Amino acid sequence: MNRTSQLLLTGAHGAVPPAYEVLKEEHEVAVLGAPQSQAPLTTTVINIRSDTAVPDHIVWSLFNTIFMNWCCLGFVAFAYSVKSRDRKMVGDITGAQSYASTAKCLNICSLVLGILLTVVLIVLVSTGSLMIVQAVSELMQNYGGH
């Protein structure tokens, strides 16, 4: 006969029944075992950094947005760069790499298109102004000669 059943039997024969808390404590000790220590449990958090650094190209995208925003490619690249940074902060490395790759491609397209269109604009303005100067000088000679 174990101790709990003895206490219950003696309580049934007219003796003073044991307190509920004592029975509860005895049950917890029987089921859970004796407490090992009274010190509070502590947890340790280990942050493992990934070896792969994912560049988000946000500075390049911002530059293209401000200075080389032909066809809004710089702005779209900036949006993808921000998405890449968000994915990196969440811990989704694959998603961050995908958005960063798209941002890089858009930045390259924006930069090349921006440089080409800027050069074409400079050539057109310079040749146009040369044509205007030539036309004005021709008009001056025609009106001056008559």
Side-chain angles (χ1 to χ4, degrees):
M1 207 182 249
N2 63 18
R3 179 164 168 75
T4 307
S5 60
Q6 286 177 351
L7 288 174
L8 289 176
L9 288 176
T10 56
H13 292 295
V16 177
Y20 173 73
E21 292 79 23
V22 175
L23 288 176
K24 184 177 174 189
E25 287 178 6
E26 286 180 4
H27 176 69
E28 288 176 354
V29 169
V31 172
L32 301 174
Q36 301 296 325
S37 69
Q38 297 300 329
L41 295 176
T42 58
T43 58
T44 303
V45 177
I46 299 173
N47 291 327
I48 300 174
R49 300 217 47 140
S50 174
D51 290 338
T52 350
V54 179
D56 51 16
H57 309 293
I58 201 150
V59 176
W60 188 12
S61 299
L62 187 62
F63 173 81
N64 283 337
T65 301
I66 294 171
F67 298 110
M68 302 282 180
N69 201 19
W70 295 98
C71 301
C72 293
L73 287 177
F75 180 72
V76 175
F78 185 72
Y80 274 97
S81 296
V82 170
K83 285 182 178 184
S84 174
R85 180 168 283 188
D86 290 345
R87 292 285 95 201
K88 189 168 48 171
M89 291 299 159
V90 171
D92 181 14
I93 300 299
T94 307
Q97 286 174 340
S98 173
Y99 284 127
S101 173
T102 305
K104 182 179 179 181
C105 183
L106 288 171
N107 277 322
I108 290 171
C109 291
S110 175
L111 189 64
V112 168
L113 187 65
I115 289 172
L116 283 176
L117 289 177
T118 303
V119 168
V120 166
L121 186 67
I122 289 172
V123 168
L124 286 176
V125 167
S126 63
T127 56
S129 58
L130 285 175
M131 298 274 290
I132 290 173
V133 167
Q134 186 180 9
V136 167
S137 68
E138 195 173 299
L139 280 174
M140 301 266 286
Q141 286 176 356
N142 287 340
Y143 284 123
H146 287 285

